[in-house]
Amino acid sequence: MTAVAEQASPTYAPARVDDVAPVLPVVGASTLVPLVDGRSVPYANLDVAASAPALEAVEERVTRVLPLYASVHRGAGHLSQVSTALYEQARTTIGAFVGAREDDVVVITRNTTDSLNLLAGCVPADAAGHPGRVLVLDVEHHANLLPWQRDLDATVLTGGASVAATVAAVRDELADGVETGAPYALVAITGASNVTGEALPVAAVVEAAHAAGARVVLDGAQLVPHRPFSLAESGVDYVAFSGHKTYAPFGAGALVGRRDWLDAGTPYLAGGGAVKRVRVTETLWHDGPARHEAGSPNVIGAVALAAAAEALSAVDPLTLAWHEATLRARLVAGLEDIDRVRVVRAWDDAVDPVGVVTFTVTGYDPGLVAAYLSAEHGIGVRDGRFCAHPLLGRLGFDAGAVRASVGVGTPGSDVERLLTAVRALVEVGPQAQYDVVDGLWVVVGDPRPVPQGLGLTGLLATAALGDPTGCTPLVAG
């Protein structure tokens, strides 16, 4: 396993990519979805950055393990012992996947958000007892922004116009903290933006942070599924990531990193399994992962994440890089070749972005674009502000945008279908009639049936659950 690659990827010609095959097989690749014209077509899943489909290898592992599932850690039964062994073996595999150091701790969590909230409760106070200082950028997903602002002394630094300018600003802010006697304890950065796929050079941030006495936590949600990464080689102190973005959507994630803060920090959940001894007036907490894993753990989720880690680690990194860079280059070039389409960028000098491309179509609300792509072309994308409101606002996209994202299971034909559909939208316009109902773009008199045998009577408007321009899409593709 290597540290994050920070050199520029080879330039790939933006020719058609119809024949580019997936790197790994995923569950549901042949699933048909209905269109408003009565046809059914294979679903083009270009919403991988939100939730990736399960790898077939993950499905196979889970199917084998389910009959063996039982309670863990405190059961004497044979299946309890097997499940315990599977859970702890998964922990080891997950740590190896991100290049954990020998003394690092692997805590199984629900997802990246859960992991970062857990770490926020472990950042030590300064010598005077004040909350620890955390430096974070405005480019972050809310999961790597809000936890630091709640109970810690967080400074949100505005990203610069370039990668170089942003790194310089981070370095200056860290140095200023040392000079003023208020040093930072932690720097929180993204491994890859969930809006643009771009990233800062991790090595430069780690060097600046460590020179100022600060640690670094990396939001690896969009990085780990797409690039080899190593805590040991990069010098990053903590990494957080999610199973549902790493082709293992079974409800588990991980926080991996240095032991001392996690051993001394406030236990994330109070309950059974996190304690050594309990009396009415006294509680003695565990150290290590158990301290933060109270209750019955997600054994199946951990096993699934470990299976995904094994499958991804077995892929030649050059094959993975070629596949993603080829699809992304075609996607960007194809979109920019369409009149009225604008691709969102944070930094023009960013290198090796992951397969996330966000764009707008002048004259069309992002929610309408997403609804059109779904209803008339069977394409799933994301629209809104992607839980990155500060970044979208600063870049001038406060009304939202459309995001297409690729992964190891994406065929080139899906990218070509999107480009054809967006061009048709600009040149011809939508063929169905759309309206906004409760903040959600829908097809008027939508004739598409819902899947049978699942007890569904209709499709719920996800926007009704929250801000329709926030994390949820205006239309589920």
Side-chain angles (χ1 to χ4, degrees):
M1 188 67 65
T2 59
V4 179
E6 293 177 349
Q7 70 278 8
S9 291
T11 299
Y12 299 96
R16 291 185 65 93
V17 292
D18 305 79
D19 295 333
V20 173
V23 174
L24 289 171
V26 297
V27 177
S30 59
T31 299
L32 299 178
V33 293
L35 305 184
V36 290
D37 64 6
R39 294 181 296 131
S40 291
V41 297
Y43 185 58
N45 185 355
L46 294 177
D47 193 20
V48 177
S51 288
L55 294 174
E56 287 188 356
V58 170
E59 179 189 37
E60 292 168 3
R61 182 71 58 81
V62 168
T63 299
R64 290 178 60 191
V65 167
L66 274 173
L68 305 174
Y69 173 75
S71 64
V72 298
H73 294 148
R74 295 175 298 279
H78 180 69
L79 293 191
S80 289
Q81 293 177 340
V82 170
S83 289
T84 298
L86 286 167
Y87 185 67
E88 294 305 328
Q89 178 178 284
R91 189 193 306 280
T92 300
T93 300
I94 292 165
F97 178 56
V98 292
R101 295 161 289 250
E102 185 176 352
D103 58 346
D104 279 341
V105 170
V106 179
V107 183
I108 305 301
T109 64
R110 292 179 295 176
N111 45 45
T112 307
T113 302
D114 201 38
S115 297
L116 295 171
N117 275 272
L118 188 162
L119 183 61
C122 298
V123 177
D126 65 15
H130 301 131
R133 296 194 74 196
V134 180
L135 179 61
V136 62
L137 293 166
D138 70 341
V139 305
E140 301 297 331
H141 187 284
H142 296 166
N144 199 27
L145 175 65
L146 301 181
W148 318 118
Q149 293 181 305
R150 186 163 54 185
D151 297 315
L152 297 165
D153 183 3
T155 296
V156 181
L157 191 65
T158 300
S162 66
V163 167
T166 304
V167 171
V170 169
R171 187 178 292 112
D172 290 345
E173 180 64 29
L174 288 166
D176 184 67
V178 173
E179 292 174 5
T180 59
Y184 286 95
L186 184 69
V187 178
I189 62 167
T190 183
S193 169
N194 75 308
V195 177
T196 67
E198 300 163 345
L200 297 176
V202 172
V205 174
V206 169
E207 179 183 13
H210 287 179
R215 294 187 178 185
V216 176
V217 58
L218 191 76
D219 174 353
Q222 297 298 335
L223 175 70
V224 167
H226 301 272
R227 299 286 187 275
F229 171 76
S230 170
L231 284 163
E233 295 183 24
S234 68
V236 168
D237 300 282
Y238 301 93
V239 63
F241 57 103
S242 300
H244 73 276
K245 298 184 189 295
T246 315
Y247 311 99
F250 287 83
L255 173 67
V256 187
R258 300 196 184 276
R259 171 178 291 274
D260 54 348
W261 282 12
L262 296 173
D263 280 351
T266 302
Y268 189 48
L269 295 173
V275 293
K276 295 179 180 179
R277 180 175 181 272
V278 176
R279 294 293 183 266
V280 173
T281 59
E282 178 188 30
T283 300
L284 181 61
W285 301 96
H286 274 301
D287 295 329
R291 184 181 186 89
H292 302 287
E293 294 182 6
S296 295
N298 183 357
V299 178
I300 300 301
V303 167
L305 182 52
E310 290 175 358
L312 290 171
S313 297
V315 177
D316 183 342
L318 294 179
T319 299
L320 189 64
W322 181 88
H323 175 264
E324 185 162 298
T326 299
L327 297 189
R328 191 184 193 281
R330 172 59 178 159
L331 188 53
V332 171
L335 287 169
E336 291 184 330
D337 191 50
I338 301 173
D339 187 36
R340 294 161 49 189
V341 173
R342 179 183 175 189
V343 174
V344 179
R345 290 182 174 85
W347 303 301
D348 287 335
D349 59 339
V351 299
D352 195 28
V354 301
V356 177
V357 178
T358 294
F359 64 97
T360 58
V361 181
T362 301
Y364 288 102
D365 184 89
L368 176 56
V369 176
Y372 156 83
L373 291 172
S374 174
E376 300 185 35
H377 297 276
I379 301 169
V381 295
R382 199 76 163 175
D383 70 272
R385 289 181 287 172
F386 321 116
C387 291
H389 296 186
L391 175 61
L392 269 294
R394 175 165 63 82
L395 296 178
F397 298 93
D398 203 42
V402 181
R403 183 183 69 192
S405 50
V406 302
V408 296
T410 306
S413 56
D414 284 0
V415 170
E416 295 299 339
R417 200 201 305 184
L418 175 71
L419 296 176
T420 298
V422 174
R423 187 176 294 278
L425 176 65
V426 170
E427 296 179 353
V428 181
Q431 300 303 292
Q433 183 180 353
Y434 299 85
D435 199 1
V436 177
V437 178
D438 294 330
L440 178 74
W441 281 97
V442 298
V443 177
V444 176
D446 194 342
R448 291 174 293 171
V450 299
Q452 299 299 305
L454 300 177
L456 295 175
T457 58
L459 299 182
L460 298 177
T462 55
L465 302 179
D467 176 7
T469 62
C471 299
T472 55
L474 294 181
V475 167

